[in-house]
Structure formats: structure tokens, C-alpha cells
Amino acid sequence: HLVCTRALLTMADAFQCRYRPYLREQFSQAFDAYLAVLREVQRRLDCALGQDMPHWRALNSCAPCNYVLEDEPLLVIQGLLAMDGGQAHKR
């Protein structure tokens, strides 16, 4: 609720009007409804794209340069490895 209060105080200051406490509850409910709509749209999009399986990311991701498609040309450099935690490239 602190975030909603701060947002309303900022808006009241920007529009040069008084802060009214009842607006915090209305703003909070409107923002919750907005987030619910976003979540539902994302859920429907994931379902339409077939990305709603429990382990979809793990099943459909690949480490760079470790997964080669059929008829894909080989890269000149097949991969880069760092044994020092990737710090050598910063020098």
C-alpha cells in the first residue's frame, strides 16, 4: 500500500491537487485489475503458442552452440569457454 500512496502523492503533486486517502484504495483496485488483465493475456498467449506446459522452458531451450539443427552450417568457432568466471575478457 505504500507504493500506491507514494504514486498518488506524486500524481497529486504533479496535478497540483490535494491528496485524498480514499483515492489510494481506488487506485490500488484499478492497478490490481490491470495486473490481472495482463496475467490473463499472458496466460492465453502462452496457451495459444503451446508454451503452457510445466517445464516448457527447460524442454525448449538450448545452451548456445551446444544444439545444432539439421542442415545448419557449422560455426567457425563452435563455442567459448571461460575457466576464470569470465573475468579474463575484462582485462
Side-chain angles (χ1 to χ4, degrees):
H1 298 294
L2 183 60
V3 174
C4 289
T5 303
R6 285 186 181 171
L8 283 174
L9 286 171
T10 303
M11 287 191 297
D13 187 45
F15 291 107
Q16 298 177 349
C17 63
R18 259 181 5 132
Y19 169 76
R20 292 173 178 83
Y22 69 90
L23 292 176
R24 191 205 55 81
E25 186 64 31
Q26 291 178 359
F27 179 78
S28 178
Q29 290 174 358
F31 191 66
D32 288 344
Y34 168 73
L35 292 177
V37 167
L38 285 183
R39 282 190 295 269
E40 181 63 20
V41 168
Q42 186 64 50
R43 187 192 69 76
R44 289 182 184 197
L45 183 63
D46 289 345
C47 186
L49 295 175
Q51 298 176 357
D52 56 344
M53 297 183 308
H55 302 290
W56 182 85
R57 287 194 189 279
L59 295 172
N60 292 289
S61 64
C62 63
C65 303
N66 290 332
Y67 183 76
V68 181
L69 297 172
E70 293 178 14
D71 301 325
E72 181 180 359
L74 294 176
L75 300 172
V76 176
I77 299 174
Q78 294 296 317
L80 298 174
L81 300 173
M83 298 298 288
D84 64 347
Q87 299 297 319
H89 72 283
K90 293 181 181 179
R91 293 186 200 138

